[in-house]
Every structure is written in C-alpha cells, then in structure tokens.
Amino acid sequence: MIKTDVLIIGAGPVGIFAVHQLGIIGLKAEVVDNLDKIGGQCIELYPDKPIYDIPAVPECTGEDLTNNLIEQIKNFKTNFHLNERVEEVVKEKDNWKITTNKKKIFLAPNIIIAGGVGSFEPRKFLIKNSEKFENNGIFYSIKDKNTFENKKVCIFGGGDSALDWAIELSKLAEVTLVHRREEFRGSKHSAKLVRDLEKKGKLKIKTPFQINSIEGENKIKSITIKNEVGKTETIITDSILGFFGLIMKLGPIAQWGLNLDKKTIPVDTEYFQTNKEGIFAIGDICTYPGKLKLILSGFHEGALAARACFKLARPNEKYRFEFTTTSKSLQERLGVAKK
Ligand SMILES: Cc1cc2nc3c(=O)[nH]c(=O)nc-3n(C[C@H](O)[C@H](O)[C@H](O)COP(=O)(O)OP(=O)(O)OC[C@H]3O[C@@H](n4cnc5c(N)ncnc54)[C@H](O)[C@@H]3O)c2cc1C
C-alpha cells in the first residue's frame, strides 16, 4: 500500500502542473495514468502541433509543453504509475483508498482527478478470440520493438501509428500491413514510404482487407482476412497489432458516487472540490459556470485545489501564502535555492 498526501488521477498537462503546485507547498503526490506515457492529450493527440496560448510561451508543441512541465517538477521525484487505470475509490476513515486495475492500492486524504476526457483506450479487434489473445499475440501498443525480431507480424490500420510501426518493424520482422481501405489515412510521406518498401520486398500490403478470424490454441497460428467482395486469404503470423485509434471513456470515474454533468464533474470555484470532501476535479474533466477547456484554466484550477488539499493533509498546520521569487522554503523544495 502506498501512502501519500494526494493521489492525482491523470498525467495530462493539468495533472503534471498540480504536482508542482502541491510540491512547492510541501505535499507529496503520486500520479496514475492509463496511458503508457506522460502528457495526456498533448502527447497522445498532438505532440507535433504548435500551441500558441500558454502564457509567456509564444509557441510550443504538445511535446515541448509536456517536457517543460516534467522539467519543472523534477526536484519532487514524483512517481508516475503509467499503464494503470484507477478503478475504485472508497472512503476509509480519514483517507481515500484508491485501487488500480493492477490491484495497486493508494491511501490518501486527497484525490485530484485530472482525468481530461476520461481514460484513453485503444479501439480493439471485434472478432472471436481477440480477447483471449490480448497481450499474447494481439497488441494495441508496442513497449519493446525487439520482442518482434525475426517474427511474422500483421499490422492493422491506416493511420500514422500503423504506418510508422510498419516502417519501423520492417527493419527487423516480416511485416504485413492490412488496411480496410485502398488509401492510407496517415501522412503522405509515410504512405509513400510503405509503398516503396513493398516494391523493395521489405513488407507486404493487403488492401482493402479486414480481419475475419484468428486461428490457434495457446498462441496465434494464423489469421484470415476478407475483402469487400468476400474473398479471403490466410496469413501465417505470430502476432497481430491493431492501430485503430483511441476512444475516450469516462470509465470507472462514473462509478465513484460523484455528481456528474454529462461527462464532466461539477466543482466549486473556490477549491475545485467535487461533492465529496477531499476529492477535487481540475482540467477538462471539471465543470462550473464559465469553464473554458484550456490548459491555462487547468493550471489555475490546480493551484487552488493544491492549497485546499493542504488542509486535509496537514490538519495541524497553517498554510502560508508565499511567492517562489522570494520564499527560501519554496525554492528549497524546487531545488533552486541559492546558498
Ligand atoms: C488537437 C487539439 C489541440 C488542442 N490545442 C489546444 C491549445 O492550443 N491550447 C489549449 O489550451 N488547449 C488545447 N487543447 C486542449 C488541451 O489539450 C486540453 O485542455 C488539455 O489536454 C486538458 O488537460 P488535462 O490534464 O485536464 O487532461 P488530458 O490531457 O486529457 O489528460 C488526462 C489524462 O487522464 C488519464 N485518465 C483518465 N481517467 C483515468 C483513470 N481512471 N485512471 C488513470 N488515468 C486516467 C488519461 O489517460 C489522460 O492521460 C487541444 C486539444 C486537442 C485535442
């Protein structure tokens, strides 16, 4: 069991900055995110796109913003529990007991939900046997490309992820790229590259085809694919990778007894607290009159929620407002104090 002052759900920009605001006032946070990386929508949906409305930063990409936010909290040595979804939240005396899908348990007097539009989950194959082989032959993300070395791999999808992985894995595996349309959706450059690799015999392309069946007992032996006129083909393969994009689900958050307004959580604008004491909601997931779904609004919400967390985490201490410019203790926490 991990005890902490605050458990933050969501490692998007708003969750990361909340770590900073908690850290400077001396509170420890642990962060859980369902994705395999830090950065939320900025890193998952638009890492290369420029953002122009972060105060005092005229232009930065989603990736730059994420990297700078991570840099800004480095002295707090925060644990990020990635690839884990918070499933259950229950009250236990003065604490909240938080359980993830991997059965990790946290105990904290405060929870900050910075869950954005809910947890991102991959769209999956919708055919028989696909659940049985998940993570044992069927994958929706790649942690270590070397596990596919010298293997037969079928990649499904027509977007950038499918094309980029087809290009990358063709260097070390026998790749077949399958897409339900003739044209690819991904960048022109990547689409041309896969066609060139096909001409050079470095990978195979099957379009327009969709998966039809998966054969195998304990591991995948082969699959069949089918086109629009019902023609089928069998492919011997070790693994199949699906890159059909992500769906956003409010998911388990809806089961925690919080008031909901459509897919958002109503909060007050003094503490950004929900209807449950000690559970706060900030960023895209919260709502209140005049709410703007912008990163800068989430930063402000995190600053106020952090101060509210102090009361429950340090009931016998008084919170004192200080500036980072002039406060020695804040600077020490940030690791920037001059001797
Ligand atoms: C294409 C695009 C362009 C944009 N451009 C701008 C812009 O120019 N300026 C601007 O200010 N905003 C912009 N936005 C909006 C901005 O990205 C969002 O406001 C911001 O990402 C919200 O941050 P967040 O931390 O609240 O949520 P998110 O970034 O959505 O992060 C939430 C995280 O919570 C995780 N999560 C949710 N539920 C759970 C759970 N139960 N367990 C574990 N993890 C969970 C999710 O996996 C996710 O990683 C843009 C958005 C898009 C899509």
Side-chain angles (χ1 to χ4, degrees), residues 157-220:
D160 281 320
S161 299
L163 298 180
D164 291 350
W165 278 117
I167 295 162
E168 194 56 34
L169 291 185
S170 70
K171 295 172 195 161
L172 49 98
E174 214 175 288
V175 172
T176 307
L177 176 63
V178 188
H179 183 40
R180 68 195 166 104
R181 299 193 199 288
E182 206 61 72
E183 298 301 319
F184 293 111
R185 262 187 307 111
S187 78
K188 279 191 184 146
H189 172 75
S190 304
K192 182 175 178 317
L193 216 60
V194 291
R195 297 279 182 209
D196 290 348
L197 287 168
E198 184 194 27
K199 278 183 204 141
K200 289 181 192 155
K202 303 275 185 198
L203 57 75
K204 289 184 187 133
I205 295 178
K206 299 280 177 191
T207 56
F209 274 98
Q210 294 198 55
I211 194 152
N212 184 54
S213 66
I214 305 172
E215 282 78 40
E217 271 309 309
N218 301 320
K219 62 189 209 74
I220 296 176

Side-chain angles (χ1 to χ4, degrees), residues 17-43:
F17 191 64
V19 171
H20 179 276
Q21 290 297 294
L22 293 162
I24 58 170
I25 60 173
L27 298 187
K28 170 107 181 74
E30 301 272 330
V31 187
V32 180
D33 200 299
N34 198 37
L35 289 176
D36 59 357
K37 45 191 161 322
I38 301 173
Q41 292 176 50
C42 297
I43 216 74

Side-chain angles (χ1 to χ4, degrees), residues 9-15 32-35 39-42 45-46 49-54 84-86 114-120 249-250 252-253 256 282-285 293-296:
I9 301 172
V14 174
V32 180
D33 200 299
N34 198 37
L35 289 176
Q41 292 176 50
C42 297
L45 302 181
Y46 57 102
K49 285 205 170 66
I51 311 175
Y52 300 103
D53 55 358
I54 303 298
E84 276 192 69
R85 193 176 54 224
V86 172
V117 276
S119 50
F120 292 102
K249 281 190 182 168
L250 192 54
I253 295 173
W256 303 338
I282 59 174
D284 277 12
I285 200 148
K293 286 197 181 186
L294 284 177
I295 296 164
L296 66 88

Side-chain angles (χ1 to χ4, degrees), residues 322-339:
E322 292 173 292
F323 289 123
T324 54
T325 339
T326 45
S327 162
K328 191 91 197 262
S329 55
L330 264 55
Q331 289 171 4
E332 275 168 4
R333 288 179 189 133
L334 283 164
V336 294
K338 307 251 178 337
K339 296 225 168 90

